[in-house]
Amino acid sequence: MKSTIAYLHTALQSALVAAFGDDFATTNPMLVPTSNPNFGDYQANVAMSLAKPLGKAPRAIAEQLVQHLDVSELCEPPQIAGPGFINLTLKPAYLEAQLAVTQADARLGVAPVKEPQRVIVDFSSPNIAKEMHVGHLRSTIIGDSIARILEFQGHDVLRLNHVGDWGTQFGMLITYLKEVAPEALTTADAIDLGDLVAFYKKAKQRFDEDAAFRETARLEVVKLQAGDQDSRRAWELLCDQSRREFQVIYDLLDICLTERGESFYNPLLPGVVEDLEKAGLLVEDDGAKCVFLEGFTNKDGNPLPLIVQKSDGGYNYATTDLAALRYRIQQDHSDRIIYVTDAGQANHFAQFFQVAKRAGWLPDTVEVVHVPFGLVQGEDGKKLKTRSGETVRLRDLLDEAVDRARADLETRIQAEGRQETAEFINHVAQVVGISAVKYADLSQNRTSNYIFSFDKMLALNGNTAPYMLYAYVRVQGISRKGQIDFEKLGANAKILLQEDTEFTLAKHLLQLDEIVEEVSQDLFPNKLCQYLFELSQKFNQFYDRCPVLQAEEPLRTSRLALCDLTARTLKLGLSLLGIPTLERM
Ligand code: ARG
C-alpha cells in the first residue's frame, strides 16, 4: 500500500513538470496535511514559492498546476484557496478502500522499508560505579523508542550501550577496593559492594585527602592498562556490580541493549592517534596531541584544539568516540549512527564528527546524528532533587511512580465498588507507573528541558500514558459489553463512512504510516505521541456522537470495525514507544 501522501506527492511532481517543464522535476510541492478540515485533507503550498522564479501570480500558478494534476482516483476536484493554496480532499470511496486494506494488514499500512539500513542506536550509556541519573533515563527511554520505530520499519538495528567503563577513575576505585576488601580479589562473592555510588564517594574522599593513595591509584591505572591480573579482576568486579544495578532498571523499563563499553575500544586508541598523524591532522600542543578544529574557537577567538592524547599519554572521551565511530563504520558496516545524549554534549559530537570526516573515516554514505535532549527538572524548575536535597536514584523514582499509580488505582477501585485481585492491582500499577514515566518523557519535544511531575504524568486526563491506556481499555470494554470478538469481525467487516466524526477518525487512522516515516527521519518521538493522543480524542468524539452497539446493520459492524482499528492502532503505536497495553485498568 502506497501512502496517500506519497501518491499525492508524485502526482504533484508530475503536474509541475507538465505545467512548467523539466526544470521543475525536483521542486518540492510543499504538501502537508491541512490543519483545518475546512481546507480539505492536504494542501500544496508550492504555488507561493514559485511566484518569483516564474514571475507570475501564485493563484495563476496554482490554476495552471491544477489543470495538469491528476488525482481523481483519490480526491475530489482540487480547490484553490487564498493566495494560491491547492486544497485536496480525499474521496469517501478511496478512504473506505484504504481502510479495508489497513484492516487486513497486521502492520496497519506501515510497509517495511524497501532498503533496510544497518543502524546503530547508541543510547543509555551510564558510567560504571557512578549514579545512573535522570539524563541516562531520558537517553534510555528516547533511544529505545527510536530503536523500536526503526526496527519496526525493518531496519537492522544494533542497540549499543556505550558504557563508561574505562578511565583513570578506575585507578582510584581499584586501589580503594584493594584497601578495604582485598579478599574480594581472590574469593568469589567475598564482598557485597552494595551501593557502588557510596563506594565511589568513599574512594574519592581517600583520593582527595591522601597523596600516597593518589600515587598508588596512578600506578594502578598503568597496571590495569598493562593487563595485570589482580587489577583486571578488581575492574571486572566493579563492572559486574554496576551492570547488575543497571540491569534492574533495564528490566523495570523493558529495555534491550548490547553492552559495548569504552573499554572495548581501548586497544584501538593508539591506532586512532597514529592514523590522525598520517592524515596530517595532528598537532603537538603543550605535549598534548590534538587536532585543531574548524569553526570552533576558544574564548580568545583562536581555533579550538580537540585533544586526542594528553601529555601524560592518556586518551580521552573523544579519542574513544573516534575509535568507536571508525569501528562502527568499518566493522559493523552501519549506514546510520544515532547518538542519544543530553544537549550539553552537542559540541563533543560536532567536534569528533568533524575530525572523523577530515580523516576520511566518515564517508558521505554514512549518516551520523546526535539526538540531543534537554535537562530533567523538578517542579521548581531546578535540577531534580529529593526532598532532602540529594540526587534522585532512578530505582526510587520508578518505584514511586508505581506506588502512586497503585494508590490512584486503589482509590478508583474503591470508589467504583469493584473487587480486584492483588495480582491485577500489581500488574496495572506496574504498567501504568512505568508507562507514565516513559510517556511523559517521550511526549515532550525532546530538545526542551522537561519538568518531572508525578501528578501530571499520572493524570487520567491530558496527553498522558493513563489517558492513552484508558482509550484502549474503553474500546476493549465495547467488545466485552457487546460480546464481540474483534478478531472474528474479520474481512467482511466493511467500514462505511457517514458521520463527520467517522470521517475525521478514519482519516487520522490512515496517517499512521506517514507519522512513523516522519519520526524515523527526524527522530522526534513526541510526534508519534501527539498522533496517538489526537487519535484517542478523535475516537472519543466519534464514540460520543455515534451509537455503536445500538446502531443498525450494516453500520453496527462498520463502527465496530472502526473501534477495532482504533484499538489496534493505539496498541501498535504505544508498542513503538515501549508501552504495553492493558485490557482493563
Ligand atoms: N557515558 C556518557 C555519559 O554518561 C554517554 C556516552 C554517550 N555515547 C557516546 N558514544 N559518547 O555522559
Side-chain angles (χ1 to χ4, degrees):
M1 172 170 153
K2 185 163 183 184
S3 88
T4 302
I5 200 162
Y7 188 104
L8 295 177
H9 193 98
T10 313
L12 279 155
Q13 269 179 333
S14 314
L16 277 162
V17 171
F20 308 115
D22 285 340
D23 288 354
F24 294 86
T26 54
T27 304
N28 182 352
M30 303 175 127
L31 179 70
V32 289
T34 55
S35 45
N36 180 339
N38 292 334
F39 300 139
D41 301 315
Y42 292 92
Q43 66 184 60
N45 302 337
V46 63
M48 271 68 74
S49 68
L50 289 184
K52 239 204 187 140
L54 288 174
K56 281 190 196 167
R59 234 190 131 92
I61 296 173
E63 269 156 24
Q64 220 176 324
L65 204 55
V66 165
Q67 272 165 24
H68 292 91
L69 181 62
D70 181 14
V71 288
S72 55
E73 243 182 83
L74 277 62
C75 303
E76 309 287 1
Q79 302 292 319
I80 299 171
F85 299 109
I86 300 171
N87 293 343
L88 302 169
T89 304
L90 298 170
K91 281 183 182 171
Y94 172 74
L95 291 171
E96 288 173 1
Q98 290 292 94
L99 288 167
V101 178
T102 309
Q103 269 177 292
D105 178 8
R107 301 179 55 93
L108 303 180
V110 186
V113 285
K114 291 202 192 68
E115 287 170 31
Q117 288 186 314
R118 174 82 165 148
V119 187
I120 288 180
V121 187
D122 173 322
F123 70 105
S124 192
S125 309
N127 303 314
I128 297 289
K130 290 196 194 156
E131 191 80 78
M132 184 172 176
H133 54 68
V134 282
H136 296 122
L137 178 68
R138 278 205 98 174
S139 173
T140 306
I141 292 171
I142 296 170
D144 176 60
S145 175
I146 288 174
R148 283 176 193 258
I149 290 167
L150 296 171
E151 281 156 359
F152 183 65
Q153 284 193 312
H155 294 293
D156 175 12
V157 179
L158 180 56
R159 302 156 155 258
L160 286 186
N161 201 359
H162 190 81
V163 173
D165 63 355
W166 203 251
T168 45
Q169 77 273 25
F170 282 97
M172 171 187 96
L173 291 166
I174 296 170
T175 307
Y176 187 67
L177 181 65
K178 285 183 173 174
E179 198 171 276
V180 296
E183 67 280 12
L185 302 181
T186 46
T187 325
D189 301 320
I191 57 150
D192 176 9
L193 281 171
D195 187 350
L196 255 196
V197 175
F199 180 87
Y200 190 98
K201 276 191 197 142
K202 282 187 242 158
K204 180 84 172 63
Q205 205 177 349
R206 284 285 289 121
F207 185 87
D208 287 341
E209 63 195 21
D210 183 342
F213 184 98
R214 278 200 292 280
E215 181 55 16
T216 319
R218 198 184 61 77
L219 293 174
E220 195 54 69
V221 181
V222 180
K223 274 161 77 184
L224 179 65
Q225 294 269 10
D228 173 90
Q229 257 196 345
D230 272 358
S231 308
R232 196 81 202 168
R233 163 112 187 89
W235 172 74
E236 270 161 16
L237 214 76
L238 293 161
C239 291
D240 279 345
Q241 173 68 24
S242 269
R243 210 168 275 138
R244 277 197 291 275
E245 289 177 19
F246 298 155
Q247 196 55 45
V248 172
I249 305 287
Y250 295 143
D251 288 345
L252 275 172
L253 293 171
D254 186 24
I255 304 290
C256 273
L257 268 163
T258 301
E259 182 180 321
R260 203 198 266 168
E262 295 186 12
S263 63
F264 177 88
Y265 305 100
N266 188 53
L268 309 175
L269 303 183
V272 166
V273 176
E274 239 167 73
D275 291 347
L276 287 174
E277 172 107 69
K278 281 189 205 141
L281 293 173
L282 216 60
V283 179
E284 283 238 4
D285 191 32
D286 244 350
K289 296 189 170 146
C290 33
V291 178
F292 280 92
L293 297 160
E294 292 164 0
F296 291 91
T297 47
N298 62 20
K299 52 182 183 315
D300 305 321
N302 297 320
L304 192 75
L306 179 75
I307 300 177
V308 291
Q309 189 167 17
K310 294 181 274 187
S311 53
D312 67 1
Y315 303 99
N316 54 33
Y317 189 47
T319 327
T320 305
D321 259 322
L322 279 167
L325 181 62
R326 198 149 75 140
Y327 190 92
R328 291 166 183 189
I329 294 172
Q330 293 177 358
Q331 314 298 319
D332 295 320
H333 304 291
S334 48
D335 303 301
R336 192 179 188 196
I337 311 174
I338 297 168
Y339 300 83
V340 188
T341 79
D342 61 282
Q345 299 194 33
N347 275 342
H348 163 72
F349 287 99
Q351 291 173 354
F352 84 81
F353 289 169
Q354 183 195 111
V355 172
K357 187 113 237 169
R358 284 163 59 197
W361 302 341
L362 176 53
D364 290 337
T365 48
V366 175
E367 185 197 2
V368 287
V369 220
H370 176 220
V371 170
F373 54 79
L375 303 172
V376 183
Q377 298 170 320
E379 290 189 76
D380 55 3
K382 297 199 188 117
K383 200 174 161 201
L384 192 68
K385 291 254 166 70
T386 62
R387 271 195 208 96
S388 53
E390 284 152 56
T391 39
V392 182
R393 299 179 44 150
L394 286 194
R395 184 67 210 273
D396 298 341
L397 191 94
L398 297 174
D399 285 348
E400 181 163 355
V402 173
D403 289 345
R404 287 186 185 229
R406 183 181 293 106
D408 287 355
L409 176 64
E410 281 169 343
T411 314
R412 210 151 36 82
I413 287 175
Q414 214 167 28
E416 292 168 6
R418 284 157 57 186
Q419 293 291 326
E420 300 290 0
T421 62
E423 199 189 348
F424 172 86
I425 294 176
N426 285 335
H427 177 62
V428 173
Q430 189 73 26
V431 170
V432 171
I434 299 296
S435 302
V437 173
K438 287 191 181 185
Y439 193 88
D441 196 329
L442 293 168
S443 59
Q444 305 283 323
N445 178 323
R446 56 174 167 72
T447 55
S448 331
N449 290 346
Y450 140 62
I451 298 199
F452 193 96
S453 159
F454 282 120
D455 287 336
K456 285 215 183 87
M457 69 178 67
L458 286 165
L460 260 180
N461 277 312
N463 191 6
T464 64
Y467 178 83
M468 305 301 309
L469 292 170
Y470 194 73
Y472 182 81
V473 165
R474 198 171 180 197
V475 189
Q476 299 313 309
I478 300 169
S479 89
R480 270 194 300 277
K481 196 163 145 212
Q483 296 181 331
I484 313 281
D485 182 348
F486 277 146
E487 263 164 47
K488 290 214 186 99
L489 222 52
N492 36 10
K494 186 160 172 20
I495 297 179
L496 310 162
L497 302 172
Q498 287 193 346
E499 302 295 324
D500 279 353
T501 53
E502 287 177 299
F503 274 100
T504 310
L505 175 60
K507 286 174 182 176
H508 199 77
L509 283 166
L510 293 174
Q511 283 167 4
L512 178 68
D513 59 337
E514 292 169 20
I515 294 295
V516 171
E517 175 58 24
E518 195 177 332
V519 179
S520 76
Q521 301 280 344
D522 67 16
L523 310 174
F524 277 97
N526 61 307
K527 291 184 181 168
L528 179 56
C529 295
Q530 187 61 30
Y531 169 82
L532 295 172
F533 180 50
E534 283 171 21
L535 177 62
S536 327
Q537 289 177 317
K538 286 173 179 169
F539 174 76
N540 286 340
Q541 281 153 9
F542 150 77
Y543 195 58
D544 288 346
R545 223 43 82 68
C546 300
V548 175
L549 289 169
Q550 307 304 326
E552 300 284 333
E553 289 298 355
L555 273 189
R556 184 175 186 267
T557 300
S558 161
R559 289 181 177 164
L560 282 168
L562 258 184
C563 292
D564 178 39
L565 192 54
T566 302
R568 286 166 63 198
T569 306
L570 283 172
K571 186 175 184 137
L572 175 60
L574 288 170
S575 80
L576 299 180
L577 300 170
I579 295 177
T581 47
L582 293 163
E583 296 304 303
R584 292 195 308 120
M585 65 190 275

